[in-house]
Amino acid sequence: MTNATDIIGSFAKGLRVLECFGADRPRLAIAEVAALTGFDRATARRCLLTLHHEGYAAYDGKYFTLTPRVLRLGMGTLAALPLPQIVQPWLDQLSDQIGQSCSVSILDDTDIVYLARAAQRRVMSIGLMPGSRLPAHCTSMGRILLAALPPAEARALIDRMDLTPRTVHSLNDPDDIMTELGRVRDQGYAVIDEEIELGLKSIAVPVYDARGRMVAALNTGMAALHATPDTIGDTYLPALLKMQDGLRRVLP
């Protein structure tokens, strides 16, 4: 057990400040960071100015924005993981074979985090790359990963999620999402039909290691006009399952 004396409180506070920034909050003032973290303004100011001094944040006198230097933190972690290195050539081959973008992700609290991606064309309004995050509840890979959890644990996560609908098709009732997770668990794959973004469909399957443990999720996404909900499984599921089987033999 970690002792309180072993914890550097100021470092922990700095990490919490970093986590305040995101796609929906690219620039923040001191007062906003204080409100998001629960810190007083003086603490929030010192953390932000330290990030600025170390080159991790830019400051225009009112607002702070993160700089590309922050990518060193995330990309270094991703590069140290063996999974992205192993799956990338498989993703490249699968993407070329089916003519669609393919990705592998893991669950991080209420989000999925992309570990590897092979892009054929841009099918979402935002660019996706390793390190990108999306809500777990309305993405095909997210539902695969949530469905693998004990139901009580999955429900606890869903109850903490922002379920604001992304489109008119998004499931936003916790009971409906749990029902869908049960369906995903039974059939072994997940299909999303324009829930994360209009015009986008996707299908995902689990990724298992050699010991049969689920370690990630694999998906492909395509423009809605390229597949109907009834045909997406017939068209793309066999290729995903073939890669699933191949990765099971090579992942330690």
Side-chain angles (χ1 to χ4, degrees):
M1 180 178 294
T2 304
N3 296 319
T5 54
D6 294 326
I7 305 301
I8 303 175
S10 57
F11 181 58
K13 290 176 181 177
L15 293 175
R16 287 184 60 185
V17 168
L18 276 175
E19 291 176 347
C20 291
F21 293 88
D24 56 337
R25 296 191 298 261
R27 61 180 200 147
L28 293 169
I30 293 171
E32 292 173 311
V33 170
L36 288 167
T37 58
F39 300 156
D40 57 53
R41 285 176 59 95
T43 299
R45 177 178 178 274
R46 287 196 300 272
C47 289
L48 288 165
L49 289 177
T50 300
L51 291 173
H52 174 56
H53 180 267
E54 296 299 317
Y56 290 101
Y59 181 43
D60 64 6
K62 182 177 181 181
Y63 292 103
F64 291 83
T65 56
L66 297 184
T67 68
R69 187 182 181 91
V70 172
L71 294 175
R72 297 184 184 182
L73 304 177
M75 297 307 293
T77 300
L78 288 174
L81 295 173
L83 182 59
Q85 301 169 18
I86 294 173
V87 303
Q88 188 62 56
W90 291 78
L91 278 180
D92 293 337
Q93 184 182 68
L94 176 62
S95 182
D96 288 341
Q97 175 190 340
I98 66 177
Q100 303 292 349
S101 298
C102 302
S103 307
V104 166
S105 73
I106 59 173
L107 188 67
D108 181 22
D109 196 34
T110 60
D111 292 337
I112 60 169
V113 179
Y114 282 71
L115 291 185
R117 181 166 170 80
Q120 288 283 329
R121 57 184 65 85
R122 185 162 169 171
V123 294
M124 291 191 69
S125 60
I126 60 172
L128 295 174
M129 63 187 71
S132 294
R133 306 175 75 92
L134 287 176
H137 72 281
C138 58
T139 53
S140 59
M141 290 189 287
R143 288 194 181 158
I144 285 290
L145 296 163
L146 289 171
L149 299 175
E153 186 176 341
R155 181 57 188 253
L157 274 179
I158 291 168
D159 286 341
R160 292 198 290 107
M161 293 179 181
D162 178 0
L163 300 181
T164 302
R166 300 284 293 250
T167 77
V168 295
H169 305 292
S170 301
L171 295 183
N172 54 35
D173 180 88
D175 291 335
D176 291 342
I177 296 171
M178 288 299 297
T179 298
E180 182 60 24
L181 293 184
R183 183 180 297 110
V184 168
R185 193 178 300 113
D186 291 340
Q187 66 190 15
Y189 64 92
V191 173
I192 291 292
D193 187 8
E194 299 189 84
E195 288 193 51
I196 186 69
E197 185 169 307
L198 289 175
L200 174 69
K201 289 181 170 67
S202 66
I203 181 170
V205 299
V207 174
Y208 299 103
D209 65 14
R211 286 174 280 182
R213 300 175 304 178
M214 201 185 85
V215 294
L218 159 71
N219 93 329
T220 183
M222 69 291 302
L225 56 85
H226 291 157
T228 67
D230 295 330
T231 64
I232 188 172
D234 294 338
T235 305
Y236 298 105
L237 184 57
L240 292 175
L241 292 177
K242 185 176 180 180
M243 178 170 163
Q244 179 194 71
D245 185 59
L247 288 174
R248 191 197 298 260
R249 296 194 304 270
V250 299
L251 288 175

